[in-house]
Amino acid sequence: MNPLREGLSMRTLAQPCIVVIFGATGDLTMRKLIPALYNITADGEMPPGVAVVGFARREKTDEQFRTEQEETTRKFSRQQVRDDVWNQFAGSLFYHQSEFHDPAGYKRLVDRLNKLDDERGTGGNLLFYLAVAPDQSEAILKNLKAVGLNKGRNGGWARVIVEKPFGTDLPSAQELNKVVRTAFSEEQTYRIDHFLGKETAQNILVLRFANATFEPIWNARYVDHIQITAAETLGVESRAGYYEGAGALRDMVQNHLLQLLCLVAMEPPTDLSADSVRDEKLKVVRSLRRLAESEVGNDVIRGQYSAGAINGKEVPDYRSEKNVNPQSMTETYVALRLHLDNWRWGGVPIFMRVGKRLPKSGTEISVHFKKAPSVLFNKESEGHGHNVLVIRIQPDEGISLRIEAKLPGTSLRIEPVKMDFHYGTSFGKASPEAYERLLLDAMAGDATLFARRDEVEEAWAFIDAIQHAWQAKENAPPLCFYPAGSWGPDEADKLIASEGRTWRRL
């Protein structure tokens, strides 16, 4: 044991490599990936010698690519861009022009990567990031394999990060998994969900398993119900081309919200290795009670925003948005009632909701504990509520616990109070962006926060049953409408009210 590292985190360190980003001129690269890589450099966590090669179709020089990335990084970086750090980082940025389907472009890429490996000493390690539409993935993967880039050079490693959506249903996810498997093994494949890179999402496991306070009561005996909410004030914006074919169910529930549910509901893993954690998450998805088509209308509400106002500004209805079908049946809101058929959570309803054009943006998990017996306080305690543990994923990452306390005074009056923990104020520094953590984990070969093939396919199997019911020619559940700026359709309130509960206000 190195005495200088005593007490420090023993997480696997990121290794020198060449990061190749396919779709280097796209929105994801400019808003998230390059700023994340810059911040890793600024924080001193970037392994030595790392090079970043942008792969895209447009003609561009290295210098043009660096200039464009500097402009967007200064705009989107979580911390102010320092000239000295940027100049150091920019020297590691390169650009490679080619069509995704052009084999000759990949042969040139091999020569470019070999030269960079020799110059920068990256040990033959390669990390490919597919920041492209899903229909481009197959051509890229096949061409990488054809030129031997699915293996590291001289004993190094090769890994591929695949962005969501990983398929659009179970058959397409299985087909994409098959395509990926022809080029990269499961151990080389990293399916990314940026929600799992957020500090608070990672802290769920620590909160549950490192504190003796919570784990003994984290079960059906003490928990009344669980709510998971992901709300956005934004509309479809410029994503109509993608969103029309996806909708809120496929875009958010299948990956983000089910991933958060897995972290909340999973059993303790045997250790913190990637497969031990992912084994337990898989059990949660498998224990989700499947909905028959006849049950979907009772347990799932789909909605679409109509015209309304956000923060006092009038906004159009979804069907009037640019590139949206005027008769679109795409849902911008989903509310679900779920059940996990296992020993820990049997009988505990789980409510999820996700929507666009809601009054407030935020993602949170709330665990509502059962009420204490009222025999001690009798009438005085009428109206006192549940203890609620709230895990805020974004914004203002943190955790709060609502408890009951006596109001000061001569009479016995009970009022709820909150015990609050904020990441920013408690630790005195901002949390890193999710992509920063996930990129470093991929460089280190730690797949804990990435989805495994079987988990993705099980999630799609659950979602497909809902999607099929919505698309049925007869007796399909109706599409409900809600004004922009409201908290969703009335039917969603009735869904949770039928269980004697109400949605928690963000």
Side-chain angles (χ1 to χ4, degrees):
M1 172 73 73
N2 181 343
L4 296 177
R5 291 193 60 80
E6 188 172 350
L8 297 181
S9 169
M10 291 294 107
R11 68 172 291 212
T12 307
L13 295 177
Q15 301 171 31
C17 62
I18 301 174
V19 182
V20 182
I21 302 175
F22 291 90
T25 56
D27 204 48
L28 176 63
T29 301
M30 294 189 289
R31 286 174 173 264
K32 295 294 184 182
L33 302 184
I34 297 298
L37 290 165
Y38 166 79
N39 283 308
I40 292 170
T41 303
D43 290 345
E45 296 194 49
M46 184 71 83
V50 165
V52 180
V53 178
F55 188 114
R57 301 161 176 160
R58 301 171 193 169
E59 289 282 353
K60 211 182 297 286
T61 65
D62 290 345
E63 282 305 319
Q64 287 174 319
F65 182 60
R66 291 165 183 167
T67 300
E68 290 174 0
Q69 297 303 326
E70 180 179 4
E71 291 174 3
T72 52
T73 300
R74 289 186 182 277
K75 184 177 180 180
F76 297 112
S77 171
R78 69 173 169 85
Q79 56 183 309
Q80 186 173 0
V81 174
R82 291 163 38 199
D83 291 342
D84 56 334
V85 178
W86 176 262
N87 291 336
Q88 173 196 344
F89 175 65
S92 67
L93 291 179
F94 304 90
Y95 186 79
H96 184 81
Q97 187 277 326
S98 174
E99 295 287 336
F100 296 145
H101 296 74
D102 181 13
Y106 291 82
K107 292 176 182 176
R108 296 196 310 274
L109 180 64
V110 171
D111 296 335
R112 189 87 186 269
L113 298 183
N114 288 344
K115 183 179 179 183
L116 285 171
D117 184 37
D118 291 336
E119 292 174 352
R120 303 182 68 88
T122 52
N125 298 327
L126 300 170
L127 179 61
F128 299 102
Y129 199 119
L130 305 191
V132 297
D135 58 0
Q136 303 290 339
S137 298
E138 183 171 357
I140 294 170
L141 292 164
K142 286 182 176 178
N143 278 302
L144 288 175
K145 182 182 180 182
V147 295
L149 287 177
N150 59 334
K151 298 178 182 177
R153 184 188 183 207
N154 298 329
W157 49 256
R159 299 172 186 142
V160 61
I161 299 177
V162 185
E163 262 288 342
K164 81 166 191 79
F166 201 84
T168 55
D169 54 16
L170 179 57
S172 63
Q174 290 172 327
E175 180 60 29
L176 184 52
N177 275 326
K178 181 179 177 182
V179 170
V180 173
R181 212 160 45 237
T182 61
F184 293 88
S185 67
E186 182 63 28
E187 291 71 28
Q188 294 175 288
T189 305
Y190 291 68
R191 299 170 189 81
I192 196 168
D193 183 343
H194 72 273
F195 262 47
L196 294 189
K198 293 183 179 296
E199 201 72 47
T200 314
Q202 299 166 49
N203 199 43
I204 293 172
L205 298 186
V206 177
L207 174 74
R208 289 187 53 196
F209 303 131
N211 294 292
T213 310
F214 296 113
E215 186 56 23
I217 59 171
W218 207 265
N219 54 55
R221 182 177 179 184
Y222 296 99
V223 175
D224 178 76
H225 72 284
I226 297 170
Q227 295 183 27
I228 302 178
T229 297
E232 287 184 275
T233 57
L234 294 176
V236 71
E237 307 301 310
S238 60
R239 300 178 68 218
Y242 159 73
Y243 204 84
E244 269 288 89
L249 185 71
R250 290 168 169 166
D251 183 50
M252 291 289 290
V253 177
Q254 185 273 335
N255 43 72
H256 297 334
L257 299 196
L258 288 185
Q259 288 284 346
L260 293 179
L261 174 61
C262 287
L263 294 177
V264 170
M266 64 186 275
E267 295 296 324
T270 54
D271 54 51
L272 290 178
S273 66
D275 276 335
S276 292
V277 172
R278 297 193 293 183
D279 285 345
E280 298 304 331
K281 287 168 59 185
L282 175 63
K283 292 177 186 176
V284 174
V285 184
R286 284 180 172 165
S287 68
L288 272 170
R289 185 183 300 172
R290 300 297 191 260
L291 299 175
E293 284 195 17
S294 59
E295 297 173 318
V296 169
N298 294 325
D299 290 336
V300 185
I301 305 299
R302 60 171 172 161
Q304 186 185 98
Y305 64 82
S306 54
I310 299 288
N311 297 325
K313 181 181 177 182
E314 291 189 6
V315 295
D317 62 291
Y318 175 75
R319 292 178 177 180
S320 299
E321 300 274 19
K322 185 178 178 181
N323 297 326
V324 171
N325 182 346
Q327 283 81 45
S328 175
M329 295 294 287
T330 300
E331 77 284 356
T332 61
Y333 178 99
V334 183
L336 307 94
R337 173 172 50 204
L338 309 175
H339 289 89
L340 294 173
D341 290 328
N342 59 26
W343 189 265
R344 182 185 290 264
W345 297 112
V348 176
I350 297 161
F351 300 96
M352 285 185 182
R353 59 176 171 165
V354 57
K356 290 185 173 296
R357 290 295 190 206
L358 300 184
K360 188 176 179 181
S361 290
T363 301
E364 69 167 39
I365 302 162
S366 55
V367 180
H368 299 248
F369 294 94
K370 292 180 178 178
K371 287 186 177 181
S374 60
V375 292
L376 287 180
F377 302 104
N378 297 317
K379 292 182 179 180
E380 288 85 350
S381 68
E382 286 184 8
H384 85 273
H386 301 262
N387 297 132
V388 182
L389 181 70
V390 179
I391 303 167
R392 295 185 301 274
I393 306 298
Q394 64 179 19
D396 188 26
E397 294 176 283
I399 300 168
S400 67
L401 177 63
R402 188 178 77 177
I403 61 174
E404 301 298 316
K406 178 185 174 297
L407 196 68
T410 56
S411 61
L412 180 60
R413 292 177 57 195
I414 298 174
E415 292 287 340
V417 295
K418 286 199 303 183
M419 301 171 66
D420 254 343
F421 156 65
H422 297 259
Y423 267 92
T425 55
S426 296
F427 294 112
K429 64 176 185 178
S431 299
E433 289 283 343
Y435 281 99
E436 296 171 34
R437 169 65 189 267
L438 295 171
L439 283 164
L440 279 172
D441 281 358
M443 293 180 197
D446 184 352
T448 305
L449 299 178
F450 296 83
R452 200 168 60 190
R453 175 191 57 79
D454 46 6
E455 182 185 343
V456 170
E457 293 181 3
E458 285 287 342
W460 274 122
F462 175 78
I463 293 298
D464 278 3
I466 300 172
Q467 201 71 44
H468 291 158
W470 287 354
Q471 295 169 351
K473 293 181 179 179
E474 296 181 3
N475 301 320
L479 176 67
C480 308
F481 293 89
Y482 62 99
S486 71
W487 278 107
D490 293 340
E491 289 80 359
D493 294 332
K494 294 175 183 176
L495 172 72
I496 194 168
S498 67
E499 297 267 354
R501 285 103 173 173
T502 58
W503 293 110
R504 201 189 99 83
R505 293 190 64 180
L506 264 65

